[in-house]
Amino acid sequence: MNIKDLRPRTGDGRKVYIETYGCQMNVGDSEIVLSILQDEGYVYTARIDEADIILVNTCSVRDNAEQRIWGRLQEFKQYKKRKPGLLIGVLGCMAERLREQLLEKERSVDIVAGPDAYRDLPNLVRTATSGGHGVNVQLSREETYAEISPVRLDQNGVSAFIAIMRGCNNMCAYCVVPYTRGRERSRDPKTILHEARELFEAGYREVTLLGQNVNSYAWECEDGSRVDFPTLLRLVAEIDPRLRVRFATSHPKDLSDKLLEVMAAMPNLCRSIHLPAQSGSTRMLALMNRKYTREWYLDRIAAIRRYLPDCAITTDLIAGFCTETEEDHQATLSLMREVGYDFAYMFKYSVRPDTKAARTMEDDVPDEVKTARLTQIINLQNELSLESNRRDVGKRFEVLIEGVSKRSEQQLFGRTSQNKVVVFDRGDHTPGEYVTVEVTDCSSATLMGHLVEK
Ligand code: 5AD
Ligand code: SF4
């Protein structure tokens, strides 16, 4: 398998341009969409002004994500004016959630396709080409796009995403994903392993297994045996010790000791776990329907530290969920200190229509309070990230090189197993190689170091 075989086809033909917002799952979906359209004879373009079809793969997780897309749809109109016959398609979570509004409010939109409707895109494009609206937002209980080979859109040819499951059954009170992405379903492990092997043979050295809640991955084989997430992870890691394997996201309620045992046994399973806490207050966790307490969460952190002492731990946090008091907020800050997160994604609570919180709770924390709490959370995380990076100064790490540093042609950057970015002088190395780097300095976002002989 040559890397060229996985890359988008360009050149003559009707050209598709695709813009992706939101999570890594969407990045993976855009790669599937391109694969489906390429099979219909379309070619890819990275230049919007050349496109015959503009697709935007959207996110509904917070209101500001949706506002950005509405703004973007306005901007797309100029291309349509310049090129009659140009088609505009909205894909993903916002397509699922807002199909009517999209067609009514935004007359330039020709195609609306939800996350489970991408196989239908060739038909939808045909309908739109003959002047109609191509719309399909049917959710599915089975669709995993299992056997479709994604067209790889990553920049580096070193790291790629593999979706192992779709949808979510957790029903966190604030979250729109179960409504936009439907019920949880796992993908046949054979197709996952095939995809990972293909990537490795093409020169890729890192895969990230993706799902809304990877720890509930489950597949029943024809012989009745079951493949759970730890088993799948081991099978992927066994492809080759030079293939690094990451995964996201883990729900704390399902993070098992079995998973940690498998990780501890295989050094190419990366020492980094993303474990969204959302809040440090047990009262808020219950309201959020997270199905664990602060104590349970801390017990899982202790288990990670026991099995994997050098593992980085990262999280997601929400400030200002319904009824959150100063005391609840302080509990989040104290959880952050207690865990000492290496990194966090931090958000202000944003009401999402149709969710349990929107239906049954009042969004009663004033916006100024949400902002002030979020600022405190961000400031604390910056301190914690800096402390975490300072602890790495003087240590040596195996680094997988991803590319040339943005700041200087003479420097490369890569990642440690803990998923931290390291910048160092290039020597005669190239992306895709493993090198040993000694960390000499850091900021809160990056490690700096120099190459050492192994
Ligand atoms: N408001 C703010 N943040 C949210 N998230 C999900 N839904 C909301 C919401 N309504 C955050 C959670 C989740 C991450 C992907 O986005 O922290 O883990
Ligand atoms: Fe956005 Fe969540 Fe949908 Fe991903 S799954 S696109 S983050 S709403």
Side-chain angles (χ1 to χ4, degrees), residues 232-298:
L232 177 73
L233 202 54
R234 188 169 44 73
L235 290 171
V236 178
E238 279 170 357
I239 289 175
D240 196 290
R242 290 165 297 168
L243 181 68
R244 278 186 174 181
V245 185
R246 301 185 185 280
F247 55 87
T249 292
S250 294
H251 194 299
K253 76 177 166 63
D254 299 318
L255 187 91
S256 65
D257 281 27
K258 182 175 173 194
L259 171 75
L260 299 173
E261 267 166 36
V262 168
M263 287 181 75
M266 306 205 66
N268 56 330
L269 288 172
C270 287
R271 274 32 184 163
S272 165
I273 295 183
H274 187 62
L275 201 65
Q278 312 300 359
S279 169
S281 152
T282 294
R283 191 184 75 84
M284 294 312 290
L285 292 170
L287 274 180
M288 290 173 162
N289 193 29
R290 290 289 289 173
K291 304 186 183 100
Y292 55 87
T293 60
R294 176 188 176 102
E295 289 66 38
W296 167 277
Y297 184 89
L298 284 170

Side-chain angles (χ1 to χ4, degrees), residues 22-23 26 58-61 93 176-177 180-181 212:
C23 60
N26 265 8
T58 61
C59 175
S60 288
V61 82
C93 290
V176 78
V177 171
T180 58
R181 285 188 166 271
Q212 248 73 41

Side-chain angles (χ1 to χ4, degrees), residues 67-105:
Q67 293 310 326
R68 246 175 105 194
I69 310 279
W70 285 117
R72 213 44 203 131
L73 289 173
Q74 294 302 320
E75 290 165 15
F76 289 163
K77 283 184 184 158
Q78 53 171 309
Y79 299 103
K80 204 154 183 164
K81 264 194 217 127
R82 270 186 246 150
K83 190 189 253 183
L86 170 78
L87 299 179
I88 295 180
V90 180
L91 315 177
C93 290
M94 222 174 134
E96 192 64 45
R97 204 179 85 68
L98 296 173
R99 51 194 173 251
E100 279 104 17
Q101 276 115 300
L102 279 166
L103 294 170
E104 280 163 23
K105 245 172 86 174

Side-chain angles (χ1 to χ4, degrees), residues 23 59-64 172-177 212 249 274-279 288 290 315-319 321 345-353 355 357 370:
C23 60
C59 175
S60 288
V61 82
R62 282 168 294 277
D63 185 55
N64 55 11
C172 299
Y174 50 80
C175 189
V176 78
V177 171
Q212 248 73 41
T249 292
H274 187 62
L275 201 65
Q278 312 300 359
S279 169
M288 290 173 162
R290 290 289 289 173
T315 201
D316 293 348
L317 295 164
I318 299 178
F321 185 62
Y345 295 101
M346 300 154 284
F347 312 103
K348 254 199 300 197
Y349 171 57
S350 158
V351 189
R352 307 316 294 133
T355 56
K370 284 184 190 169

Side-chain angles (χ1 to χ4, degrees), residues 3 7 154-159 202-206 399-405 409 411-415 424 426-435:
I3 195 164
R7 287 296 187 195
D154 58 273
Q155 301 291 315
N156 58 22
V158 176
S159 49
Y204 282 80
R205 290 295 173 263
E206 181 179 278
V399 171
L400 173 59
I401 304 175
E402 286 184 18
V404 177
S405 156
E409 280 277 309
Q411 293 197 308
L412 296 171
F413 77 95
R415 274 169 212 271
F424 53 95
R426 72 182 305 159
D428 54 2
H429 295 287
T430 50
E433 282 178 43
Y434 286 102
V435 288

